[in-house]
Amino acid sequence: MDEGAAGGPRRAFVLGGGGALGAHEVGMLKALFAAGIRPDAVVGTSVGAINGAAVAAEPAPAAIDRLADLWTGLGRAGVFTGSLLGRLTTAVRSGTHLYAPGPLDDLLRSHLPVSRVEDLAVPFQCVAASIEKAAEHWFEDGPLIEAVLASCAVPGLLPPVELDGEHFVDGGLVNSIPVSRAVALGAQEVYVLQVGRVEHALRPPRLPWEVALVAFEIARRHRFARDMAELPGGVTVHVLPSGSAQETPGPLGQLRHRTFGRTAQRIEAAYAASSRYLDAALAGPGGGKPPQ
């Protein structure tokens, strides 16, 4: 591992949350690997924890095929699909969520080749929100699947994940694009993989249902904006473009079956846009092929 400040990782990949839009991150990973850029550490939130765990397990182009298959599986395996009656039945029985966690658990176990965080090929961390502590919690070791499920437990859609008597929900509630974590670990070169939201300015709500969506987006984005404004000297951050038109469905809309059907288009759009960005970045002052 290349070491940065205080012996930490020199280069980190940061993968943000965003439901089905997380397929954009797969295209960004494809572009990074094509440019010869590999991570020394990976941090992720929510769906970025899924993508991050996969790339930390195999930080090489072969991981792209694994992730493309996993993303296709998210739609066809019933992870966030099923009949209205089935969702209502789950909601009535649970009182808190629409989907059972079993299909996602099974899909992750079939696509992630190790069972513990510390057994991944490169250091990996993912974040979840602790209900009892009302704070972010970083999983640095221990059972991998449980950590990723905790980071992905969208309130109202999936149940909280209980670990050692503590309950965890989606990490996007507390740190949607965790640049600050990569910096705290000592990274000096950070590549941000995001789903496209931060590329577009918010506008005031005009319709009743837009009020909650705009509030949710402010909550998602404010910490990332602060982290970017407070970067320490010597740290370079690359925010890779998604190559997408603005996609702003609400949390439920992002998880409908038809949105997973656009996985291939999202991967290729992000790959093309991020490839152009990296070509320009590497050709600029001080550019050239990054050290491996």
Side-chain angles (χ1 to χ4, degrees):
M1 178 180 74
D2 289 340
E3 292 187 349
R10 191 182 72 82
R11 180 186 297 141
F13 288 2
V14 172
L15 296 97
L21 303 181
H24 290 300
E25 296 175 353
V26 182
M28 295 171 187
L29 288 168
K30 183 178 178 181
L32 286 165
F33 290 142
I37 301 171
R38 305 286 190 273
D40 301 314
V42 179
V43 295
T45 295
S46 193
V47 74
I50 296 178
N51 292 334
V55 74
E58 188 177 13
I64 303 305
D65 291 335
R66 184 194 302 272
L67 276 168
D69 185 66
L70 186 152
W71 273 90
T72 302
L74 283 170
R76 69 182 179 224
V79 175
F80 295 113
T81 58
S83 67
L84 176 60
L85 177 60
R87 294 194 296 273
L88 290 175
T89 299
T90 300
V92 169
R93 288 176 177 173
S94 70
T96 60
H97 54 273
L98 293 174
Y99 300 100
L104 180 56
D105 186 304
D106 292 342
L107 190 66
L108 291 175
R109 292 184 190 280
S110 67
H111 284 78
L112 296 178
V114 302
S115 61
R116 296 187 63 82
V117 173
E118 57 266 35
D119 293 333
L120 292 164
V122 299
F124 168 76
Q125 297 184 13
C126 65
V127 65
S130 167
I131 292 177
E132 286 83 1
K133 297 178 180 177
E136 65 183 62
H137 176 92
W138 283 93
F139 293 93
E140 305 175 40
D141 52 29
L144 175 62
I145 303 302
E146 287 78 359
V148 173
L149 287 172
S151 190
C152 293
V154 182
L157 299 186
L158 290 167
V161 174
E162 181 179 359
L163 295 169
D164 298 325
E166 194 170 354
H167 297 81
F168 300 97
V169 292
D170 191 277
L173 296 175
V174 288
N175 205 335
S176 183
I177 306 176
V179 170
S180 57
R181 186 66 174 185
V183 172
L185 292 174
Q188 296 176 321
E189 182 183 345
V190 179
Y191 290 86
V192 173
L193 289 74
Q194 48 82 38
V195 302
R197 284 193 180 98
V198 298
E199 299 168 3
H200 307 281
L202 287 173
R203 67 178 188 184
R206 299 175 181 175
L207 298 169
W209 55 84
E210 290 182 339
V211 174
L213 295 179
V214 170
F216 178 74
E217 278 302 303
I218 293 171
R220 281 179 51 90
R221 298 186 191 190
H222 86 281
R223 183 166 181 176
F224 173 65
R226 186 188 70 190
D227 288 350
M228 293 295 288
E230 297 178 352
L231 287 173
V235 175
T236 300
V237 177
H238 297 276
V239 181
L240 299 184
S242 68
S244 68
Q246 187 171 9
E247 294 189 68
T248 56
L252 283 173
Q254 294 172 27
L255 299 174
R256 291 175 184 151
H257 183 275
R258 67 176 178 270
T259 67
F260 286 100
R262 295 201 291 271
T263 288
Q265 296 96 311
R266 286 175 176 146
I267 291 173
E268 289 310 308
Y271 169 68
S274 292
S275 293
R276 290 192 295 270
Y277 171 90
L278 292 170
D279 285 346
L282 296 179
K289 206 71 169 179
Q292 303 304 301

